[in-house]
Amino acid sequence: MPPRERTTGERLSNLCDIGVDPRCWYPACRSDELGPGQAREVRFLGRSFVVFRDGQGAVHCLDNACAHRRVALHEGEVRDCRIVCPYHGWEYGPDGALARIPYWEEEAPLPRLRVRSFPVAERSGLVWFVPEPADPLPPQPPDTSRWDGGEWFSFRQDRVFPNHYGVGLVNGMDYTHFHLHRKYQPWSRLRLRDLETDEQRVFGSYEVTSGHSRAERTLRMLLGSDRSASTVTYPLEVYYDYPHHHARLGDGMVVWAFFRPEGRDRVAVYITLYIKARRGTRRLRQFAEPFFRRLVLARIQEQDAWIGVREQIAWETRPDEPRCELNPVAAAAERLLRSRWQAYVEEAGPPDDRWPGVRLAHGAAR
Ligand code: FES
Ligand SMILES: [Fe+2]
């Protein structure tokens, strides 16, 4: 890290009190987790949504509460392009309008009722939704199609972490935390080269140098580097494109992490790691893939989940004590996260009623 002045730290408000701007695209589920005729509950900042795929393959998203007695809809049946409440069988169309009541007299007009509907999109193998649509809608969700298939291997590592979104996001941007993963750390030196920020994005450019430890040799093999050189240096670029994250290592490794904050202590993260398949190593890698997944990736993720809970506890029990963040990338990511929430609250008003999950622990979704 570049030298900085000695610091006594910064007093920040409790990170767990910070929400996310609900006017962005958030992942609801993987596309292949939602077959035709299926529905799922999706939680976001303490509220419950239902996504369902109709018989024609189109996906829809509604508030997960029947207009009749507010029973959740996701356990109901999908019939053609409608979702049917499991209690009295009221049916809602893709736009959330009440379309049928099974016991209603045919000649009588239906009550004009609806549940809220939300914009949806399918992209990068995910179903996306906007929890609080504004006009205009945000640009399309991120596109990962250039890494899907072809010359790239992909490893999905989706997980619900029992910690706040900000804890996970800063972890992803802060590569100094590889002390936690030191057994798997594939470099022996990390240097920050550049940092750019604006109100949408943080871009950090690190440089890593790999030598000859087992993890470092594995990385060099994966990236197809010269084996005879004593050390090899790679660029490591990390991006916080609010509210999601991605990173690239050399020209052969990319990771995307899409976040859906569910409450102050719970975040669903859809993670895909891509590794370029180099000539001559494809067969070997197909063979090694399950081991790599189980013995390296899963363990690293386990460590992140473990430390996430520890940092959550640290925020909740010592919210007023200073933090001495010395990595400018981590500090910038946290600043952006806080400022975007601040801007949203100033524009949209106090969030408590609309987004109770900012305050409440998991289990309070409604
Ligand atoms: S509660 Fe949904 S139909 Fe009655
Ligand atoms: Fe980590």
Side-chain angles (χ1 to χ4, degrees):
M1 294 298 110
R4 278 179 45 141
E5 285 169 31
R6 188 180 293 237
T7 176
T8 51
E10 225 177 327
R11 282 178 205 280
L12 301 159
S13 64
N14 186 347
L15 182 63
C16 305
D17 289 338
I18 306 296
V20 287
D21 189 336
R23 300 168 297 187
C24 302
W25 290 101
Y26 291 91
C29 61
R30 294 278 180 183
S31 286
D32 58 16
E33 293 171 335
L34 192 68
Q38 290 183 336
R40 292 175 72 96
E41 181 185 27
V42 176
R43 289 176 167 214
F44 178 86
L45 290 188
R47 292 198 74 94
S48 178
F49 299 78
V50 55
V51 289
F52 66 97
R53 192 185 294 281
D54 67 29
Q56 278 74 51
V59 177
H60 314 287
C61 179
L62 303 177
D63 191 14
N64 194 14
C66 178
H68 182 201
R69 300 187 71 81
R70 296 286 161 200
V71 165
L73 295 168
H74 70 279
E75 290 179 296
E77 176 192 342
V78 176
R79 194 176 291 155
D80 299 325
C81 63
R82 297 178 187 167
I83 188 152
V84 184
C85 177
Y87 198 174
H88 308 87
W90 291 23
E91 297 185 17
Y92 299 91
D95 60 352
L98 179 65
R100 181 171 178 261
I101 297 177
Y103 51 85
W104 204 249
E105 297 290 343
E106 267 179 28
E107 35 316 328
L110 269 183
R112 289 161 66 90
L113 294 171
R114 64 169 57 240
V115 297
R116 267 191 92 184
S117 65
F118 300 88
V120 284
E122 281 201 271
R123 210 167 204 221
S124 303
L126 288 156
V127 173
W128 300 81
F129 73 121
V130 180
E132 188 175 304
D135 192 17
L137 283 177
Q140 285 292 297
D143 180 9
T144 63
S145 56
R146 60 179 281 210
W147 295 283
D148 286 319
E151 53 174 350
W152 295 84
F153 281 94
S154 62
F155 300 86
R156 266 196 210 178
Q157 296 286 121
D158 302 349
R159 183 172 184 138
V160 177
F161 290 86
N163 55 251
H164 185 267
Y165 158 73
V167 168
L169 186 278
V170 173
N171 170 295
M173 293 292 287
D174 177 15
Y175 276 74
T176 65
H177 89 266
F178 261 70
H179 171 77
L180 175 69
H181 310 306
R182 55 198 174 279
K183 188 172 161 198
Y184 310 101
Q185 180 174 308
W187 52 76
S188 36
R189 198 173 72 169
L190 171 81
R191 286 208 294 183
L192 181 62
R193 286 297 194 191
D194 194 16
L195 171 65
E196 292 169 21
T197 63
D198 60 33
E199 61 282 3
Q200 307 291 339
R201 162 188 264 213
V202 173
F203 163 68
S205 170
Y206 300 95
E207 187 181 84
V208 299
T209 303
S210 292
H212 285 283
S213 74
R214 203 161 103 185
E216 290 168 88
R217 282 202 318 267
T218 305
L219 178 72
R220 291 171 61 161
M221 188 271 288
L222 288 171
L223 295 181
S225 306
D226 176 9
R227 283 194 209 176
S228 59
S230 61
T231 59
V232 186
T233 296
Y234 305 104
L236 169 61
E237 298 179 339
V238 298
Y239 300 82
Y240 180 21
D241 276 318
Y242 188 89
H244 306 298
H245 161 68
H246 60 114
R248 298 168 191 222
L249 178 56
D251 65 353
M253 224 180 251
V254 177
V255 64
W256 284 87
F258 300 121
F259 294 83
R260 189 185 69 248
E262 296 192 350
R264 70 182 285 131
D265 58 357
R266 195 169 153 102
V267 58
V269 194
Y270 296 85
I271 304 167
T272 311
L273 171 69
Y274 297 93
I275 299 178
K276 196 182 252 178
R278 293 186 187 276
R279 220 165 351 119
T281 62
R282 199 176 174 92
R283 290 281 298 277
L284 172 69
R285 266 195 259 170
Q286 267 164 352
F287 172 74
E289 185 187 315
F291 300 101
F292 181 59
R293 191 186 294 275
R294 214 174 52 239
L295 299 179
V296 179
L297 297 181
R299 289 185 182 175
I300 288 177
Q301 192 175 70
E302 206 52 54
Q303 292 171 333
D304 280 326
W306 179 84
I307 205 69
V309 173
R310 271 72 196 164
E311 189 175 355
Q312 182 84 16
I313 293 169
W315 278 111
E316 300 288 30
T317 56
R318 296 170 177 264
D320 303 325
E321 296 181 16
R323 266 70 184 165
C324 304
E325 181 54 67
L326 300 181
N327 179 355
V329 180
E334 190 173 334
R335 262 198 309 277
L336 174 59
L337 186 157
R338 289 172 179 274
S339 67
R340 285 294 299 256
W341 176 242
Q342 190 61 38
Y344 165 72
V345 172
E346 279 164 19
E347 288 164 28
D352 285 4
D353 290 343
R354 295 191 310 287
W355 303 112
V358 177
R359 296 263 163 221
L360 300 174
H362 171 62
R366 58 184 191 181

